[in-house]
Amino acid sequence: MRAEAKGSIVKFRFFSLFCLFLFFPGFSSFAQQGNSRPWWYTLEQGKFYFRGGEYGNALLSFEDARRQRRAMYERMEKDFIDFLSMSEVRRLGDSLERVEAYAAERLYANVSAALAELYGRVPRESLSNSAAAALSALGALKDYPEAEYWIGETYRTEGELGLALGQFQKAYEMRGLFENPDSDLYLLYRIADIRRIRQDYNEMERTLLLILARDTLWSEESGSFAKSAMLRTLENEGVNRFLSLYRYNNTAVEAAHRLLGFYYYASGRHSRAEEHLMFAFLIQNTIIIEELIRRDYDYAFTGLSELSGGITRNPLLSGYVSETEYYRTAYYLGTSLFGAGKPGPARAFWAFLAGTGEAGEWQNRARAQLSGPGVDRAIEMP
């Protein structure tokens, strides 16, 4: 049985996915009166300052972009309200088609431009041919979650975690307006990270579980059978058999599983830690194996010890295992198995790490476990 990936195939550095969050909004068809540069350009200018370490100028630019966008859509909203309030337009009823045709026929250029802008950002069919729905959608576009995010990111970089958290939460509330539909996922990771740093672990857990609601293999009933089968294989047949049977490349949720696994281990919930670390380790190894196959079509997984050699010879994979805490994940997955009463498969993980020089600290810890196995003291969250 195989658990096939349900997410998109993702590049090998998870947090490089955050570059998707360097939003490039489309060109606005509606000219901004009184501004030589539109709001999306001002946002990009802020990113330029941010990347250059000019955080004061970056913050000013992001705030200007937010004001410019709000002013533009407020103006469009007012123009549309004034138009809909005209007695001859009111007689047309709520038909958006008739209202739009009337604006074009009578040369109400601002109204036509506002509707063109709206259609460029909201699917026309979602408005159900309703002028009222168009007005509501136009008003909602005043919010600018990308600017709110970048304001928060500037605060975070400068160590103002409370202000950053407020901005990220505000942007998350506006998530329906993001240009990139997956942007709210990266916001949740930012929020969870601040909760972790501030040791607000209950809220960190809640936020990470929100991310895992998107992991259909984890969260949906249809995945419960597969998850149970995976656990049985890992516990009864060992890690090499487990990785021979299963693949799962939903890297968007790998960090959430990993961080929850560490958290549950630290709080003594070894069975829950085992489940999440199993998913994280499976995703990590799926990406590693897929990369090795990409380079050598005839490659076939035979065991973790052999796999570590392929990692060492590939700089890209070496960077990936560092970023995803691959050896740390393997160690605590093994030790969680031991804590859950499964010493046999736990020793297989420790043996793998004990023979892997690249594992560093985790090699030493694994060797100590092989000499005298036990549950480590509660770890601190990284």
Side-chain angles (χ1 to χ4, degrees):
M1 174 180 176
R2 294 171 61 89
E4 297 296 340
K6 296 186 180 180
S8 60
I9 296 176
V10 186
K11 293 182 180 180
F12 302 108
R13 288 178 172 238
F14 170 77
F15 285 107
S16 71
L17 283 171
F18 218 90
C19 69
L20 293 174
F21 215 58
L22 303 180
F23 311 96
F24 288 89
F27 287 78
S28 171
S29 62
F30 194 91
Q32 298 189 70
Q33 299 171 5
N35 287 291
S36 59
R37 292 174 176 174
W39 47 265
W40 51 263
Y41 183 92
T42 304
L43 186 79
E44 294 304 317
Q45 187 176 50
K47 295 179 196 177
F48 175 80
Y49 287 134
F50 180 88
R51 289 188 284 267
E54 299 181 54
Y55 300 122
N57 287 334
L59 186 60
L60 290 174
S61 293
F62 297 144
E63 290 173 341
D64 283 345
R66 179 175 63 184
R67 281 193 295 268
Q68 289 169 4
R69 172 160 168 154
R70 176 165 290 276
M72 186 188 82
Y73 284 110
E74 282 179 345
R75 186 169 61 250
M76 292 195 302
E77 182 184 41
K78 182 180 183 302
D79 288 342
F80 198 39
I81 290 173
D82 290 345
F83 179 72
L84 293 175
S85 300
M86 296 168 57
S87 57
E88 59 269 34
V89 176
R90 289 201 304 271
R91 288 195 290 270
L92 299 175
D94 191 42
S95 170
L96 183 56
E97 289 182 358
R98 295 174 67 186
V99 166
E100 183 181 9
Y102 187 86
E105 178 185 342
R106 300 303 176 92
L107 302 180
Y108 285 93
N110 284 353
V111 174
S112 296
L115 289 174
E117 171 71 18
L118 177 64
Y119 299 152
R121 299 190 179 277
V122 176
R124 186 167 182 163
E125 58 273 14
S126 69
L127 303 173
S128 303
N129 192 33
S130 168
L135 178 61
S136 177
L138 198 57
L141 289 172
K142 290 182 288 190
D143 290 332
Y144 196 6
E146 286 88 349
E148 304 293 355
Y149 162 75
W150 279 104
I151 292 169
E153 186 66 0
T154 305
Y155 284 139
R156 187 192 68 83
T157 303
E158 294 191 308
E160 298 287 350
L161 298 184
L163 293 174
L165 182 61
Q167 285 298 130
F168 292 150
Q169 290 173 328
K170 181 188 291 188
Y172 184 71
E173 291 170 3
M174 303 173 181
R175 59 190 178 276
L177 294 175
F178 277 120
E179 297 283 337
N180 179 352
D182 290 328
S183 295
D184 59 323
L185 180 72
Y186 307 110
L187 263 176
L188 288 173
Y189 273 115
R190 280 295 194 233
I191 291 169
D193 190 52
I194 292 177
R195 296 296 193 188
R196 176 190 61 81
I197 293 170
R198 302 180 87 179
Q199 298 184 3
D200 188 356
Y201 294 130
N202 288 336
E203 283 301 307
M204 180 201 72
E205 177 188 17
R206 185 187 67 81
T207 304
L208 292 173
L209 288 173
L210 280 177
I211 294 173
L212 293 188
R214 304 188 182 195
D215 185 350
T216 54
L217 189 58
W218 172 265
S219 62
E220 292 184 2
E221 288 187 11
S222 60
S224 61
F225 177 80
K227 182 165 58 175
S228 297
M230 291 160 65
L231 282 166
R232 285 195 303 271
T233 301
L234 179 62
E235 293 175 350
N236 299 327
E237 302 183 53
V239 62
N240 287 334
R241 178 63 174 165
F242 170 74
L243 291 176
S244 296
L245 289 178
Y246 298 106
R247 297 286 182 272
Y248 191 49
N249 66 358
N250 189 355
T251 54
V253 299
E254 182 275 328
H257 280 299
R258 173 164 37 97
L259 291 172
L260 279 171
F262 294 156
Y263 171 63
Y264 290 137
Y265 183 90
S267 55
R269 289 172 280 183
H270 298 124
S271 293
R272 294 193 70 178
E274 175 196 343
E275 293 179 354
H276 286 286
L277 292 173
M278 176 188 73
F279 267 73
F281 197 62
L282 175 59
I283 293 167
Q284 292 169 4
N285 281 283
T286 297
I287 297 306
I288 292 168
I289 291 168
E290 285 181 349
E291 168 64 4
L292 293 174
I293 291 173
R294 188 184 69 81
R295 289 174 174 261
D296 179 3
Y297 184 77
D298 293 328
Y299 173 82
F301 174 80
T302 57
L304 278 178
S305 297
E306 170 272 330
L307 190 67
S308 64
I311 293 171
T312 303
R313 293 188 295 271
N314 187 319
L316 180 63
L317 290 180
S318 295
Y320 176 75
V321 300
S322 176
E323 289 192 8
T324 58
E325 302 179 287
Y326 178 77
Y327 297 116
R328 186 174 193 250
T329 303
Y331 177 80
Y332 281 112
L333 176 51
T335 311
S336 295
L337 282 160
F338 182 85
K342 306 292 181 181
R347 291 186 65 85
F349 279 97
W350 297 333
F352 157 62
L353 292 169
T356 304
E358 293 75 21
E361 172 190 355
W362 310 107
Q363 181 187 47
N364 296 331
R365 291 199 184 195
R367 286 175 173 174
Q369 289 284 21
L370 289 173
S371 298
V375 174
D376 285 1
R377 63 178 178 82
I379 60 172
E380 294 182 0
M381 290 297 295

